[in-house]
Amino acid sequence: MLLPNALNPIDCYVAEHPEMLVSPEAEEVFFNDEYPIFAAKHLMCAAAETGIPTNKIKHYFGTAAYEVAKLLLAQGHLNKGRNGLWAKGYPHKDVNFRGGLSQTTIKLVDAESGEELEEISEDIAHREVHPQAIYKRQDANGRMLTYQCISLDLNSKQAILKQTADSPLFTVAVTESETSSLTVLTDPVKLPLLFSQVSEVDDCQEYLTLELSFGEVKHITSGYSLMTQIYEQTCLNKRCLNYKEPLPKERRCPLCSKLTRKAVIVKTLSEEKFEQPFRTQFSAPMVKVAINSSARQYLQHNALETRTNLTRSGEPIPPGYQQLWEYSSPLIAIHSFGHQIMRALQLVARVVC
């Protein structure tokens, strides 16, 4: 069943072209019914509603659910009584089909029309619609619109946004994050990375390791920076004092004599502190990702080769490739397929017994 969201351009398109849902061949679906997070949520809801006889846990929820129930009992989320397991409160509120870290949402409201633009989770609101934040969103027609946040009221769960003219200005929230793993939920899982040409997956030397745990996350947003970006000739030598400084009409850097290149230059215009920082604290599953040395060497070599080819071409460096000079290649790789990592974990992870 699909319930289209009128504020989502993709949902609007599908609603106007429903034949897309039934005409093509259905894709093959993979689902791990022993995934511990799903099992934990189902156990909590069932225990709060009717209680769960201990001898029926595996029957109703699968073989992995028994170990998940033991973890929930140890953490105090489940209680054991004469008739089985039971839970307090309303755990159903923690079952979120649309994702997000926080179950509390903030409504984004147009200051002039009073129209509700969209909803975002509270933890994202702290970073993206804090007072004076510049916020961009697509309307129903796919146009990118620019807004500035006038106020963020956490009591009424509303952020008031005023539409402004498009500009190169943007804001970046100053946020500190702390994570701590409390309970390991799965054995480490190795996933091969088929970078090189190998005949068998077992022969692959490059892999990443995933480990799922349950832990605590804290975010503290204490202020923001007002920034702008320009596309200008500059020096890309990190050891040079002119690195990422505008050098219009300069073929070579005056300080290091390296050839200059056109690139996106980000400048900080001002920095502001909030009188009262925004704080978010929650418990959640978290994934530890590690890349082995062979994979690191491959990524570093690939990045070096790409940088060399771009430099020798003499052409302006495309904005999408500029990060190769700014971040480590393993970090770029992990960021690039982060969503695939999350999906892969659900297929291969098994609860620690």
Side-chain angles (χ1 to χ4, degrees):
M1 178 181 293
L2 173 67
L3 300 177
N5 179 358
L7 303 177
N8 186 316
I10 296 178
D11 283 13
C12 288
Y13 183 84
V14 173
E16 294 172 359
H17 302 81
E19 67 278 1
M20 291 181 58
L21 299 176
V22 294
S23 57
E25 292 185 5
E27 62 180 308
E28 190 174 359
V29 176
F30 294 91
F31 180 75
N32 179 7
D33 58 356
E34 295 184 355
Y35 189 53
I37 303 306
F38 298 154
K41 291 181 178 182
H42 290 161
L43 285 167
M44 289 293 297
C45 292
E49 287 181 6
T50 61
I52 308 172
T54 52
N55 62 341
K56 294 292 185 179
I57 294 177
K58 292 183 179 180
H59 175 74
Y60 288 124
F61 301 98
T63 56
Y66 188 78
E67 297 298 328
V68 175
K70 287 170 59 177
L71 289 174
L72 292 174
L73 281 167
Q75 295 168 1
H77 298 300
L78 283 180
N79 302 284
K80 189 173 183 180
R82 181 178 302 175
N83 298 320
L85 304 180
W86 58 277
K88 296 180 179 179
Y90 186 67
H92 307 70
K93 64 180 175 57
D94 293 323
V95 181
N96 185 0
F97 289 102
R98 290 192 177 271
L101 300 176
S102 172
Q103 302 304 311
T104 302
T105 58
I106 301 294
K107 294 181 179 180
L108 310 188
V109 179
D110 189 296
E112 296 183 358
S113 66
E115 176 190 2
E116 181 183 328
L117 302 173
E118 60 180 292
E119 286 189 13
I120 61 177
S121 63
E122 185 175 312
D123 57 290
I124 295 178
H126 293 169
R127 302 190 299 273
E128 297 194 7
V129 290
H130 54 75
Q132 302 305 311
I134 295 174
Y135 185 78
K136 294 181 181 289
R137 63 176 295 272
Q138 281 186 317
D139 65 6
N141 297 318
R143 295 177 301 170
M144 187 63 69
L145 304 178
T146 303
Y147 294 82
Q148 186 164 29
C149 180
I150 299 175
S151 64
L152 171 60
D153 189 334
L154 299 180
N155 293 322
S156 63
K157 309 299 180 187
Q158 282 191 345
I160 308 300
L161 307 182
K162 181 178 181 181
Q163 188 172 349
T164 63
D166 190 28
S167 78
L169 298 178
F170 63 98
T171 50
V172 176
V174 179
T175 301
E176 295 181 1
S177 300
E178 299 178 5
T179 60
S180 57
S181 177
L182 303 177
T183 305
V184 176
L185 298 178
T186 66
D187 290 320
V189 177
K190 288 184 179 180
L191 296 180
L193 300 172
L194 303 179
F195 292 148
S196 54
Q197 298 295 327
V198 293
S199 57
E200 299 290 340
V201 173
D202 293 339
D203 297 332
C204 183
Q205 299 298 313
E206 299 88 16
Y207 59 86
L208 59 82
T209 303
L210 307 180
E211 184 179 84
L212 179 67
S213 64
F214 197 84
E216 190 173 70
V217 181
K218 296 179 182 178
H219 295 313
I220 302 176
T221 301
S222 57
Y224 69 94
S225 298
L226 177 64
M227 312 182 82
T228 188
Q229 60 182 14
I230 58 175
Y231 191 62
E232 185 57 89
Q233 206 80 5
T234 186
C235 177
L236 293 178
N237 178 12
K238 287 187 175 182
R239 299 179 180 179
C240 180
L241 293 176
N242 275 336
Y243 174 71
K244 287 301 193 67
E245 293 295 329
L247 299 173
K249 301 181 181 179
E250 294 284 355
R251 185 172 178 275
R252 289 186 177 272
C253 174
L255 295 181
C256 69
S257 299
K258 297 282 188 181
L259 288 172
T260 59
R261 293 285 184 269
K262 276 206 166 185
V264 175
I265 303 173
V266 177
K267 303 291 290 184
T268 301
L269 302 180
S270 64
E271 296 179 344
E272 304 292 338
K273 289 283 187 181
F274 299 136
E275 291 185 6
Q276 186 67 35
F278 296 104
R279 300 176 182 270
T280 305
Q281 180 174 339
F282 55 91
S283 297
M286 54 185 63
V287 182
K288 179 181 178 181
V289 183
I291 295 182
N292 75 329
S293 58
S294 296
R296 285 179 177 272
Q297 291 174 8
Y298 179 90
L299 293 169
Q300 290 166 355
H301 174 76
N302 188 272
L304 177 61
E305 185 177 11
T306 304
R307 289 197 302 267
T308 301
N309 292 337
L310 288 173
T311 302
R312 290 176 177 174
S313 70
E315 298 293 326
I317 296 173
Y321 289 84
Q322 188 173 327
Q323 286 77 10
L324 292 173
W325 277 265
E326 299 176 357
Y327 303 100
S328 69
S329 49
L331 177 61
I332 294 175
I334 291 176
H335 183 271
S336 298
F337 49 74
H339 292 287
Q340 289 90 330
I341 290 175
M342 296 299 294
R343 283 162 174 75
L345 188 74
Q346 301 182 29
L347 303 178
V348 300
R350 290 292 183 270
V351 180
V352 175
C353 296

